[in-house]
């Protein structure tokens, strides 16, 4: 594949690139994106992996959970991201009920992310119960990223969005699941909202990279939901999400300024307007003169 369309000096990131980064002890960066301009910005900034997360349901579509997100929603947003990002490894998040129903459904839906939406890999939530689906998807040639800990599609089973793996038995189960996902062939695993000590232990045990979100600094990489890190969410922002800017305030200021400029006829200025030549304008006036009413002549 030609590298000419990639941002200057960057090659296409693959699953091997991120595995090699772990081997070299280099930290892997990942963010979520749901649209073309944001994906293009992240690509230019050199983010390794872009996840089109089903978090789109909460931060873009306004649902309370991710459960309402459909395959069609996901493919729509994945296509936009794929148009914007040429270098980052692109991962499509499988929505609720697109892989839990049967292994056949899982493979067919995973395939749509690559075939129709330009993704390089898929992510799905869950541990040992998902092993058959993961193995079947991988044997169809589709790289899979696992997701353990606080898996938001199980929010009702957890009784809310709360940290997982805080007791010995819960931590042991997550560690075992991580080993099972590695054995099944996952190229990496997202660890969400688990104690940092457990994330450190899993990261040391696994050969594949761990990507933490609310899992401490000892993971092989980090991911955040872009709307959280950009300060774009007007609703709850999780404790583990750092706001690197406050775009919501900036957008509110811009919209307020726009409203005021429009109401005061400051916008559009002449520099934002198109002009007819005087000659064309005078000819037009002459042509319509008999039809121009007294009221409109005053306004002209
Ligand atoms: O949907 C999403 O954005 C995710 C991240 C939280 C990892 O799954």
């Amino acid at each position: 594949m030609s590298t000419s369309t990639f941002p200057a000096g960057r090659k296409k990131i693959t699953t091997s690139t991120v595995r090699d980064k772990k081997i070299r002890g280099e930290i892997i960066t990942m963010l979520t994106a749901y649209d073309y301009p944001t994906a293009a910005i992240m690509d230019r900034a050199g983010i390794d992996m872009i996840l089109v997360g089903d978090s789109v349901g909460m931060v873009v579509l306004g649902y309370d959970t991710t459960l309402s997100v459909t395959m069609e929603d996901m493919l729509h947003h994945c296509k936009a991201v794929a148009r914007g990002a040429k270098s980052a490894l692109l991962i499509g998040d499988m929505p609720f009920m697109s892989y839990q129903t049967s292994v056949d459904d899982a493979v067919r839906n995973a395939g749509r992310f690559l075939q129709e939406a330009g993704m390089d890999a898929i992510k799905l939530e869950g541990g040992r119960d998902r092993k058959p689906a993961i193995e079947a998807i991988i044997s169809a040639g589709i790289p899979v990223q696992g997701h353990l800990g606080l898996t938001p599609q199980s929010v009702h089973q957890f009784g809310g969005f709360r940290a997982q793996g805080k007791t010995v038995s819960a931590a042991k189960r997550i560690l075992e699941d991580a080993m099972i996902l590695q054995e099944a062939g996952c190229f990496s695993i997202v660890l969400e909202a688990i104690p940092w000590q457990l994330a450190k232990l899993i990261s040391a045990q696994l050969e594949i990279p761990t990507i933490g979100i609310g899992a401490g600094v000892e993971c092989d990489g980090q991911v955040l939901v872009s709307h959280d890190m950009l300060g774009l969410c007007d609703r709850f922002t999780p404790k583990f999400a750092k706001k690197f800017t406050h775009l919501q305030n900036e957008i509110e200021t811009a919209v307020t300024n726009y409203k005021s400029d429009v109401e005061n006829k400051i916008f559009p200025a002449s520099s934002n307007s198109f002009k007819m030549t005087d000659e064309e304008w005078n000819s037009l006036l002459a042509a319509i003169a008999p039809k121009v009413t007294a009221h409109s002549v005053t306004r002209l």
Side-chain angles (χ1 to χ4, degrees):
M1 191 193 289
S2 155
T3 55
S4 58
T5 53
F6 301 139
R10 286 200 85 206
K11 292 202 174 109
K12 177 71 188 171
I13 308 286
T14 66
T15 54
S16 312
T17 321
V18 291
R19 197 179 38 240
D20 290 348
K21 276 193 123 178
K22 171 157 182 157
I23 291 167
R24 290 197 299 269
E26 292 171 20
I27 301 296
I28 300 157
T29 54
M30 174 161 134
L31 281 172
T32 67
Y34 318 101
D35 59 47
Y36 167 86
T38 313
I41 291 167
M42 289 175 183
D43 214 40
R44 283 200 295 276
I47 292 296
D48 294 314
M49 300 194 274
I50 297 178
L51 170 70
V52 186
D54 65 350
S55 50
V56 69
M58 296 176 74
V59 299
V60 175
L61 303 177
Y63 296 125
D64 288 336
T65 70
T66 57
L67 302 180
S68 306
V69 177
T70 64
M71 273 299 296
E72 300 314 316
D73 292 332
M74 290 307 303
L75 295 175
H76 174 76
H77 288 278
C78 285
K79 286 178 195 173
V81 166
R83 285 180 214 117
K86 302 296 171 205
S87 176
L89 178 70
L90 302 181
I91 305 169
D93 206 5
M94 295 197 70
F96 185 53
M97 285 298 122
S98 68
Y99 58 96
Q100 293 93 337
T101 42
S102 73
V103 170
D104 282 354
D105 283 352
V107 176
R108 197 170 311 106
N109 285 321
R112 295 187 70 193
F113 279 93
L114 276 68
Q115 193 167 45
E116 298 175 36
M119 296 289 102
D120 304 312
I122 62 93
K123 175 173 86 59
L124 55 77
E125 298 181 4
R128 60 201 71 193
D129 296 344
R130 301 279 85 89
K131 189 170 181 248
I134 291 170
E135 285 173 339
I137 294 169
I138 292 169
S139 70
I142 301 166
V144 176
Q145 182 173 63
H147 185 162
L148 295 172
L150 169 52
T151 44
Q153 290 173 18
S154 305
V155 59
H156 295 310
Q157 207 167 30
F158 295 145
F161 294 102
R162 47 179 66 138
Q164 300 296 308
K166 289 166 86 174
T167 63
V168 174
S169 61
K172 263 186 77 193
R173 191 173 169 88
I174 293 174
L175 175 60
E176 284 165 12
D177 278 343
M179 301 303 285
I180 290 167
L181 293 194
Q182 171 170 270
E183 211 179 280
C186 286
F187 73 91
S188 86
I189 302 178
V190 169
L191 299 175
E192 179 164 354
I194 62 171
W196 68 266
Q197 301 98 321
L198 175 60
K200 182 178 179 184
L201 176 67
I202 294 172
S203 306
Q205 295 284 314
L206 294 185
E207 284 168 24
I208 58 173
T210 59
I211 309 295
I213 173 162
V217 78
E218 302 290 348
C219 294
D220 301 307
Q222 296 292 330
V223 59
L224 279 179
V225 169
S226 53
H227 283 51
D228 289 340
M229 60 84 69
L230 293 172
L232 254 176
C233 268
D234 58 351
R235 298 196 297 189
F236 170 74
T237 304
K239 154 191 160 104
F240 55 70
K242 175 173 169 179
K243 289 189 184 183
F244 286 79
T245 185
H246 298 272
L247 281 193
Q248 203 191 3
N249 298 348
E250 295 202 20
I251 292 173
E252 248 176 66
T253 304
V255 171
T256 306
N257 290 343
Y258 166 78
K259 181 175 185 291
S260 162
D261 278 13
V262 167
E263 287 171 350
N264 293 297
K265 299 195 80 172
I266 293 167
F267 177 83
S270 57
S271 59
N272 308 116
S273 307
F274 301 100
K275 191 177 185 302
M276 252 181 178
T277 61
D278 287 348
E279 195 185 344
E280 289 294 327
W281 175 239
N282 289 332
S283 303
L284 174 67
L285 285 184
I288 62 171
K291 296 178 200 132
V292 175
T293 62
H295 172 69
S296 57
V297 165
T298 328
R299 290 201 73 202
L300 288 171

